[in-house]
Amino acid sequence: MGKKGKKSASKEDPNSRTVCQNRKARHNYEILDTLDCGIVLAGSEVKSIRANKISIEEAFARMKDGEVWLYNCDIALYPQANTMNHQTRRPRKLLMKKAEIKKFAERGEHTSLTLIPLTVYFTRGLVKVKLGIAKGRKLHDKREKLKKDSARMDIQRAMRARNN
């Protein structure tokens, strides 16, 4: 017997679910490389993330004592946790292999690059963070990118209109 239906064309894992995205990151920074890594969380933090109560708009990552830490990630309090709740903006350790830390995170330490969290998502019940190594954009670079994106969208609209 063959499989029924089509395979989805998306590259995403069907078991993963995106919880939060940093939309400003792609505007303010030029993303050079990305890496998926785990994050150390308390139980109430995971419950709060499942309820989409997380913000990574102001978050960034830094190396400290050979480990990578996520700062300014705001995970709201989980109301049912009562006294066992967590601090909302505490630094959280990111789980990476030593080779990944050496290759990826140290690049951000030695040069003028920054480690920015791009998305937070669940994979097979585990919370993951997609971390990007990024270079900051100047104001004129941001304007130039908006012009290019606008021109590209206009061309795509014209091509679609022509095909119909």
Side-chain angles (χ1 to χ4, degrees):
M1 283 189 159
K3 288 185 179 179
K4 292 183 181 178
K6 269 188 186 177
K7 265 192 167 180
S8 70
S10 71
K11 294 182 260 181
E12 294 294 319
D13 183 19
N15 296 331
S16 69
R17 176 178 72 96
T18 301
V19 178
C20 180
Q21 285 187 333
N22 189 350
R23 287 184 248 137
K24 282 187 174 182
R26 300 219 183 255
H27 177 71
N28 293 333
Y29 299 95
E30 179 183 348
I31 308 300
L32 303 176
D33 196 11
T34 61
L35 178 73
D36 298 330
C37 54
I39 184 169
V40 176
L41 296 170
S44 60
E45 291 173 325
V46 175
K47 294 274 192 175
S48 191
I49 291 172
R50 283 193 194 282
N52 294 340
K53 304 289 185 186
I54 181 172
S55 173
I56 57 171
E57 295 295 319
E58 299 170 0
F60 61 94
R62 290 264 163 84
M63 270 192 66
K64 181 180 175 187
D65 299 328
E67 298 174 336
V68 182
W69 293 81
L70 184 66
Y71 295 95
N72 283 349
C73 177
D74 188 23
I75 300 176
L77 295 175
Y78 188 65
Q80 286 81 10
N82 294 336
T83 58
M84 301 301 288
N85 235 324
H86 60 275
Q87 295 176 358
T88 57
R89 284 190 176 252
R90 72 176 179 87
R92 293 168 177 91
K93 183 178 175 183
L94 295 177
L95 302 172
M96 301 167 73
K97 295 179 181 175
K98 288 189 184 208
E100 292 172 339
I101 291 173
K102 188 174 277 188
K103 177 184 171 190
F104 192 78
E106 285 183 355
R107 235 171 97 188
E109 286 293 309
H110 298 302
T111 60
S112 62
L113 302 176
T114 308
L115 296 172
I116 303 290
L118 301 173
T119 58
V120 175
Y121 60 96
F122 279 98
T123 298
R124 294 177 287 134
L126 302 173
V127 180
K128 301 283 186 174
V129 176
K130 180 171 273 194
L131 202 61
I133 188 159
K135 181 179 181 182
R137 282 197 174 121
K138 304 283 186 223
L139 182 61
H140 62 277
D141 292 336
K142 293 177 192 177
R143 289 181 184 153
E144 187 67 29
K145 181 182 180 292
L146 288 175
K147 286 179 190 174
K148 284 181 183 176
D149 289 347
S150 176
R152 183 179 43 81
M153 288 173 57
D154 290 342
I155 291 170
Q156 286 177 347
R157 269 192 226 113
M159 294 296 284
R160 269 188 259 131
R162 187 175 181 198
N163 290 338
N164 289 334

